[in-house]
Amino acid sequence: MLSRTDLRGSTPTLAQLRRALPRGGTDVNSVLPTVTPVVEDIAAHGSSAALDYGEKFDRVRPESVRVPADVIAAALSNLTPDIADALRESIARARKVHADQRRSTTRTQVVPGGAVSEKWIPVRRVGLYVPGGNAVYPSSVVMNVVPAQEAGVSSLVVASPPQAAFDGWPHPTILAACALLGVDEVWAVGGAQGIALLAYGGEDTDATTLDPVDLITGPGNIYVTAAKRLVRSVVGIDSEAGPTEIAILADDSADPAHVAADLISQAEHDVIAASVLVTDSEAFADAVDAAVIDQAAATKHSERVAEALTGPQSGIVLVDDLDAGIAVVDAYAAEHLEIQTRDAAAVAERITNAGAIFVGAYSPVSLGDYCAGSNHVLPTSGSARHASGLSVQTFLKGVHVIDYDEAALNDVAAAVITLADAEDLPAHGDAVKRRFAAQFGLS
């Protein structure tokens, strides 16, 4: 089922590797002509335009943008106990991990009388997008809300598409997850129109103000990604998320059935999801491929899985040895990277590029999706070479505070003036000279 790329007996350059590896992706530019008028319309007309587009695309128009408090409360009341307990466990583990990511103020005494501090200030208001579509994602509520709360964000809103099956409100499980997290502001708006409304704000149907946000986080489809690109000059964004992906670096010590199951689990998301196996064993590759065929036929979303696994974004890469395999997965820079080799922990230490690394046979990506405590909003499309997953840091701004007294400034005045003159910006130097007018012969 999986196509093969055979790199054995070759020593490709990094550029050649990047070109040779399976990679799908989406062309965000191709939908900008469609999304731009939507964003511009909502910038001009606010929530009424957003509701119009929701009615067009989601085929439902909620009574208001903001979900009423009693609807959110009812969603939690009606949530089955096992799902509620599982969400509570997910929340508790995520809080434990993200609480350790908090940063404290640092103060550096540069010279006597001159200090520079760096303090971390939470973003004032954030918009957290939770997609609909092929699946329901209460886990994405957890992954977005917990780090924002742990960062100290004082105002946040969750936006999720309206559902015709639920009177135009977001899916009840999403609303219940919000309730468990203490989120009381939820907007029934999704897609590009949801992103635009988060960025520009407006008035609800009852004239209640819908305040714009300062930062938007959360994954979505290509239209959501295009809208985030269009509004990023107005608000901050976490990333332009592409299709989800898994890479597995495995040798013949791994269980082919486990590896096949993990490849299929990611393919279940979307027909353009990427599943890539990198191995130095052709016999193991054959065994995985056979297991994939058997398991994919039996899984619930078999057609979606088959299309994803047979697409150009998925496949098996054969390499000469473990060192070559590490080079391949570093070049690929997967959103999710599993290491299923002998001494997997030592191999994981050698990895440079990955959104998250899952070590050994009992750390599957599915664990990270829900209950590891880690965050599952991760960089895609190779951006793990330079970007990080969602964390407390996403919601913090580092601000330098400069505090010099007169003597400390005077001590470095000559250097400041010299550098200002070197850059042909004499007024910069004059700003220092004026503070010591007599010293520099100024009246």
Side-chain angles (χ1 to χ4, degrees):
M1 175 176 281
L2 290 159
S3 64
R4 296 200 182 183
T5 301
D6 194 342
L7 298 178
R8 291 173 298 178
S10 64
T11 53
T13 66
L14 179 57
Q16 290 170 334
L17 266 182
R18 289 184 184 177
R19 287 193 293 267
L21 296 177
R23 183 74 81 184
T26 53
D27 181 9
V28 176
N29 287 332
S30 69
V31 301
L32 286 177
T34 301
V35 175
T36 299
V38 174
V39 171
E40 291 177 344
D41 195 7
I42 291 164
H45 301 106
S47 61
S48 61
L51 291 171
D52 289 343
Y53 285 111
E55 189 171 16
K56 177 180 178 180
F57 298 133
D58 299 312
R59 302 189 183 284
V60 65
R61 189 183 187 96
E63 296 175 8
S64 61
V65 171
R66 185 161 179 168
V67 181
D70 62 330
V71 173
I72 298 174
L76 180 56
S77 296
N78 295 327
L79 190 65
T80 59
D82 59 334
I83 297 176
D85 289 344
L87 282 171
R88 289 189 181 97
E89 184 67 26
S90 177
I91 291 166
R93 294 183 178 215
R95 284 209 188 282
K96 188 171 185 178
V97 171
H98 289 82
D100 280 347
Q101 297 173 356
R102 294 172 181 156
R103 291 190 173 187
S104 57
T105 298
T106 59
R107 180 179 172 85
T108 303
Q109 197 71 40
V110 181
V111 293
V116 175
S117 302
E118 185 175 39
K119 65 177 182 177
W120 295 91
I121 303 172
V123 174
R124 182 191 61 86
R125 178 167 165 82
V126 301
L128 311 175
Y129 186 80
V130 177
N134 288 333
V136 182
Y137 293 106
S139 58
S140 287
V141 179
V142 176
M143 299 299 170
N144 279 273
V145 171
V146 168
Q149 290 178 333
E150 293 301 315
V153 172
S154 60
S155 176
L156 60 84
V157 52
V158 169
S160 193
Q163 306 287 323
F166 301 105
D167 299 322
W169 307 123
H171 195 283
T173 311
I174 288 174
L175 296 179
C178 290
L180 285 170
L181 287 157
V183 176
D184 60 6
E185 186 175 358
V186 184
W187 293 0
V189 60
Q193 61 272 20
I195 298 299
L197 191 61
L198 288 171
Y200 294 103
E203 285 190 349
D204 210 340
T205 53
D206 62 356
T208 301
T209 299
L210 300 169
D211 285 331
V213 303
D214 303 307
L215 171 70
I216 298 173
T217 71
N221 62 21
I222 189 172
Y223 300 100
V224 168
T225 301
K228 288 171 79 174
R229 178 179 293 183
L230 290 169
V231 302
R232 65 183 176 186
S233 62
V234 178
V235 296
I237 65 170
D238 55 343
S239 66
E240 292 187 10
T244 191
E245 59 201 22
I246 182 175
I248 303 177
L249 176 60
D251 59 22
D252 60 7
S253 70
D255 186 324
H258 293 173
V259 171
D262 294 350
L263 293 170
I264 289 169
S265 72
Q266 213 60 27
E268 184 177 41
H269 276 285
D270 197 288
V271 296
I272 56 176
S275 297
V276 176
L277 168 63
V278 180
T279 183
D280 61 353
S281 170
E282 187 169 10
F284 179 77
D286 292 341
V288 170
D289 206 29
V292 164
I293 292 171
D294 288 344
Q295 293 182 31
T299 196
K300 178 179 180 180
H301 304 294
S302 57
E303 291 185 6
R304 186 192 308 163
V305 166
E307 187 170 350
L309 292 177
T310 56
Q313 73 276 12
S314 298
I316 296 174
V317 180
L318 293 169
V319 295
D320 285 317
D321 52 33
L322 184 61
D323 288 341
I326 291 172
V328 166
V329 296
D330 264 343
Y332 185 75
E335 177 188 17
H336 310 93
L337 174 63
E338 289 188 2
I339 307 295
Q340 297 201 38
T341 64
R342 297 174 181 84
D343 202 1
V347 174
E349 286 294 321
R350 297 174 60 190
I351 301 300
T352 302
N353 299 327
I357 302 171
F358 299 80
V359 182
Y362 297 98
S363 301
V365 167
S366 298
L367 174 65
D369 283 341
Y370 301 114
C371 290
S374 57
N375 204 292
H376 77 200
V377 182
L378 299 166
T380 60
S381 306
S383 60
R385 293 193 299 269
H386 58 81
S388 305
L390 203 69
S391 72
V392 168
Q393 270 62 258
T394 306
F395 300 96
L396 295 173
K397 305 173 294 178
V399 179
H400 279 182
V401 179
I402 297 89
D403 184 4
Y404 270 55
D405 63 19
E406 181 179 0
L409 176 60
N410 192 21
D411 184 58
V412 78
V416 173
I417 294 164
T418 296
L419 291 172
D421 289 342
E423 294 187 350
D424 194 26
L425 296 171
H428 283 60
D430 289 345
V432 172
K433 291 178 182 178
R434 288 290 172 188
R435 285 164 168 77
F436 307 102
Q439 182 177 325
F440 289 100
L442 300 178
S443 57

